[in-house]
């Protein structure tokens, strides 16, 4: 296709490689559109109904149960929906999990998001950086033996996938006794996970499971007790559990979209094993082409730490990077410009990016290399 | 009309008197639906595009400018969009505005929401309850002379409209030198307001200006300096200003809806003066009927404190209340059951409730009184 995206009336959909907010499954968008003015049997838009109405209580519970089913979440973990994104979690995690200023949080930093998470810990206790890949501009994750862990740490935090650097842990790190806390904002529901290994998992929705404005938390119940009564209401996880994710009016529409996306993963894709297989197939298409390009495309991450979600690479010059992005956009492939801190190209291929989109990008890359190599 | 709302396939819209999330203008819903899969000229849904994209930056700026234009907000106030609803503001306000534990916040409590606001102040300083209407179950607002204000208070907080009790300040209270902070969650953009009088105005969107998941803040710039560097990032208003409401990924879709609603107020309704006139006309229809019902309908609020947004009344028995709600629902008027703490009936008639909906309710009430009086 050759789109004229400069026309304000163009209504043809592109392949959207945005790092987030990101592409949604088209069938989810169609369902939202079809029932936008009137949720069947309710008489109002899902955006207009009380969060206390039976219809919405069922929508929230349905979304929660789908996440529990997809990840086979054990009974000793709670599933919550809150607002404020990972950034508010950067505050809430140390506020809730550090009992006093003498406790230490271990942080494994493999990119920009892990670094941001570490910056608010000072307000609630001590920070120990267990590993930081800054020296090599975040091209890999550490091995377990490289981690400098604190004995008796209150928790250990890491970011499973770093969107800017395209670096992902192939397996969760082994951190001993400390509860493992993971920011899964960019790879939540992209593959199966053994939830028992985690004290807490959190993920904003706008990459793999919905739209911006809702964050899913999965938290081991025993951790809820640490905050005691020292926190104001919104910051206290136990209050959100007590309110069943309705401590205050939840972001109702965003939760509804999350439920629809989970339904799509379950019933159209076929579950997390199949989701993972598809994500591997998509990523391999691009990484194999990069590896076989004779150095025309240069991947950012080390092969053992490559992200299945964000394929980050560059060409031999910034001029060629720009030409690549411009030509791709003209062919209906948007959002490919890399983050300014890394440069080059970033193709974000989250759950909802169809194989056909990745194939189109692959073919364009091959053609571009032939014409410019 | 006589709807069978028990059928899950019914797609006829009702008159939705929900207290919030609440009715939206139908033309706004239609625009959302029409461009749901593809924002014209962009090639993706508004839900799928990066918050850093030119298209979304323009959407956010457009929403912000419309609020500035509607309220003629002076240059010394910032307009922000954040997440977490009024409940997170209950924390952020004292966290930012109380410089230390020795400072005092004055609170005027005219209902449930004002009381909730007062409960998190203890974590950051001292609370002085300047007035509390609890003794009469919140049927009125105080006069200025009844206020027990603190000399040198860090700020004075009140709730302009209490949704549960249907109590609204006809004018902002006079509180002297302390910056006036108001929760306008349920009457924001329902009438003109002299912004210069306020240190801060905040309002979640799901009643008068959009959907759940975004909160608008209007804050006098000099108040931003009080927090210094003592707060973690998400809690610090100055960080949100610095990030131009994009400290982290904002609730993009919710902000888009707010912009559309503001556009509707400006260009379809004709501005806040006309919005106010319409809101008065709607409320007067119901209050006049209540006052002329010979005691069949009993209003909760004192006439001088009556809300234009939430008309709260009861009938002579709970059985009659229930019969009223059931018969109204069968006629396509939903969300009329009063809050459990007050009982009876609550008709929420926010900006987007059309006059035709209030007229339908009025006619039903008159008919119901004739049949049961």
């Amino acid at each position: 296709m050759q789109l004229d995206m400069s026309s304000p009336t163009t209504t043809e959909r592109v392949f959207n490689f945005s790092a987030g907010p990101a592409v949604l499954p088209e069938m989810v968008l169609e369902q939202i559109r079809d029932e936008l003015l009137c949720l069947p049997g309710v008489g109002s838009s899902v955006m207009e109904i009380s969060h206390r109405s039976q219809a919405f209580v069922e929508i929230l519970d349905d979304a929660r149960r789908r996440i529990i089913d997809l990840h086979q979440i054990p009974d000793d973990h709670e599933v919550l929906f809150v607002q404020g994104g990972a950034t508010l979690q950067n505050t809430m995690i140390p506020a809730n999990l550090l009992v006093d200023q003498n406790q230490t949080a271990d942080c494994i930093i493999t990119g920009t998001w892990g670094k941001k998470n570490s910056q608010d810990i000072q307000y609630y206790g001590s920070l120990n950086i267990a590993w930081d890949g800054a020296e090599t501009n975040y091209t890999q994750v550490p091995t377990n033996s490289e981690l400098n862990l604190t004995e008796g740490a209150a928790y250990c935090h890491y970011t499973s996938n770093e969107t800017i650097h395209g670096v992902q842990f192939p397996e969760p790190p082994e951190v001993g006794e400390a509860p493992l806390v993971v920011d899964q904002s960019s790879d939540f529901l992209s593959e199966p996970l053994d939830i028992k290994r985690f004290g807490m998992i959190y993920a904003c929705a706008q990459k793999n499971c919905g739209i911006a404005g809702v964050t899913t938390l999965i938290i081991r119940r025993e951790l809820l007790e640490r905050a005691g009564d020292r926190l104001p209401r919104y910051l206290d996880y136990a209050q959100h559990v007590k309110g069943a994710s309705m401590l205050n009016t939840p972001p109702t529409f965003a939760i509804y979209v999350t439920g629809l996306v989970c339904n799509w993963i379950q019933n159209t894709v076929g579950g997390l094993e199949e989701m993972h297989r598809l994500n591997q197939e998509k990523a391999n298409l691009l990484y194999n082409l990069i590896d076989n390009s004779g150095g025309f495309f240069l991947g950012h991450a080390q092969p053992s730490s490559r992200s299945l979600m964000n394929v980050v690479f560059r060409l031999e010059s910034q001029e060629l990077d720009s030409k690549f992005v411009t030509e791709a956009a003209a062919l209906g492939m948007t959002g490919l410009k890399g983050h300014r801190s890394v440069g080059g190209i970033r193709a974000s291929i989250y759950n909802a990016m169809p194989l056909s989109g990745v194939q189109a990008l692959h073919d364009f890359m091959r053609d571009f290399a032939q014409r410019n190599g």
Side-chain angles (χ1 to χ4, degrees), chain A:
Chain A
M1 57 182 159
Q2 178 86 33
L3 295 179
D4 177 13
M5 295 314 301
S6 62
S7 164
T9 57
T10 302
T11 56
E12 193 171 342
R13 280 175 62 78
V14 297
F15 287 126
N16 171 11
F17 293 93
S18 168
V23 61
L24 289 162
E26 198 158 305
M27 65 181 287
V28 166
L29 290 173
E30 285 166 352
Q31 183 174 348
I32 296 169
R33 178 197 60 198
D34 292 347
E35 58 195 34
L36 196 99
L37 266 80
C38 200
L39 203 60
V42 171
S44 292
S45 174
V46 65
M47 297 186 271
E48 299 175 300
I49 59 175
S50 169
H51 56 297
R52 304 282 180 199
S53 66
Q54 188 191 337
F56 183 74
V57 169
E58 285 173 9
I59 285 169
L60 188 147
D61 199 52
D62 176 76
R64 198 178 63 85
R65 283 178 189 281
R66 288 185 189 282
I67 291 167
I68 291 171
D69 289 348
L70 278 165
H71 264 320
Q72 302 176 311
I73 296 175
D75 278 350
D76 60 351
H77 282 67
E78 293 280 352
V79 176
L80 294 174
F81 300 112
V82 301
Q83 297 183 52
T87 304
L88 184 54
Q89 290 313 304
N90 292 347
T91 296
M92 288 176 72
I93 292 164
N96 280 268
L97 301 190
L98 292 169
V99 172
D100 60 43
Q101 285 281 349
N102 297 319
Q103 286 201 309
T104 298
D106 280 349
C107 287
I108 303 168
I109 301 179
T110 55
T112 302
W113 304 113
K115 185 159 184 66
K116 286 205 181 185
N117 170 271
S118 72
Q119 290 169 341
D120 281 347
I121 288 168
Q122 59 177 313
Y123 296 100
Y124 302 97
S126 295
L127 162 67
N128 170 53
I129 296 179
W131 192 84
D132 188 342
E135 271 185 27
T136 55
N137 196 17
Y138 301 116
T139 54
Q140 65 195 72
V141 302
T143 61
N144 289 322
S145 62
E146 290 176 302
L147 299 175
N148 172 31
L149 300 168
T150 305
E151 181 147 346
Y155 65 91
C156 180
H157 181 280
Y158 77 107
T159 308
S160 51
N161 183 69
E162 284 281 353
T163 55
I164 291 175
H165 303 89
V167 161
Q168 188 176 26
F169 280 81
E171 294 290 335
E174 301 274 1
V175 302
E177 293 299 303
L180 190 55
V181 177
V182 60
D183 177 357
Q184 274 218 322
S185 289
S186 54
D187 60 358
F188 189 53
L189 301 183
S190 71
E191 61 182 356
L193 207 63
D194 182 6
I195 305 295
K196 286 193 303 297
R197 291 187 59 180
F198 294 88
M200 180 174 158
I201 295 166
Y202 65 103
C204 51
Q206 66 266 20
K207 294 160 200 293
N208 274 309
C209 64
I211 66 170
V214 64
T215 303
T216 303
L217 312 181
I218 303 170
I219 183 164
R220 202 189 295 152
R221 206 167 288 119
E222 65 181 25
L223 295 176
L224 299 169
E225 296 162 15
R226 290 195 186 178
D229 58 1
R230 72 175 181 278
L231 294 177
R233 289 168 64 84
Y234 201 93
L235 300 187
D236 184 349
Y237 291 136
Q239 292 283 346
H240 288 276
V241 169
K242 196 173 153 197
S245 295
M246 294 208 210
L247 169 61
N248 63 338
T249 308
T252 53
F253 182 75
I255 291 170
Y256 156 78
V257 178
T258 288
L260 296 183
V261 171
C262 290
N263 179 41
W264 171 80
I265 296 173
Q266 289 178 304
N267 297 311
T268 301
V269 175
L272 292 182
E273 294 277 0
E274 182 59 18
M275 192 79 258
H276 189 208
R277 196 197 63 68
L278 275 167
N279 285 327
Q280 286 175 312
E281 184 180 352
K282 290 186 294 181
N284 286 342
L285 253 183
L286 301 184
Y287 286 126
N288 287 341
L289 187 143
I290 288 169
D291 289 343
N292 294 320
S293 71
F296 184 80
F297 298 111
L298 299 161
H300 180 78
Q302 296 292 323
S304 61
S305 301
R306 278 172 166 169
S307 168
L308 300 186
M309 303 285 104
N310 312 94
V311 178
V312 176
F313 58 96
R314 59 186 173 81
L315 286 75
E316 70 178 12
S317 69
Q318 287 185 19
E319 290 68 32
L320 217 48
D321 289 340
S322 295
K323 189 177 176 197
F324 182 96
V325 169
T326 304
E327 287 189 16
L331 292 168
M333 290 176 276
T334 65
L336 285 163
K337 186 159 187 265
H339 191 271
R340 62 186 180 280
S341 62
V342 175
I345 312 294
R346 169 170 55 175
S348 297
I349 52 173
Y350 301 115
N351 283 355
M353 170 57 68
L355 182 58
S356 57
V358 179
Q359 189 69 55
L361 176 60
H362 169 275
D363 294 351
F364 167 69
M365 286 171 71
R366 193 180 49 193
D367 174 64
F368 189 88
Q370 279 169 358
R371 285 187 285 108
N372 297 278

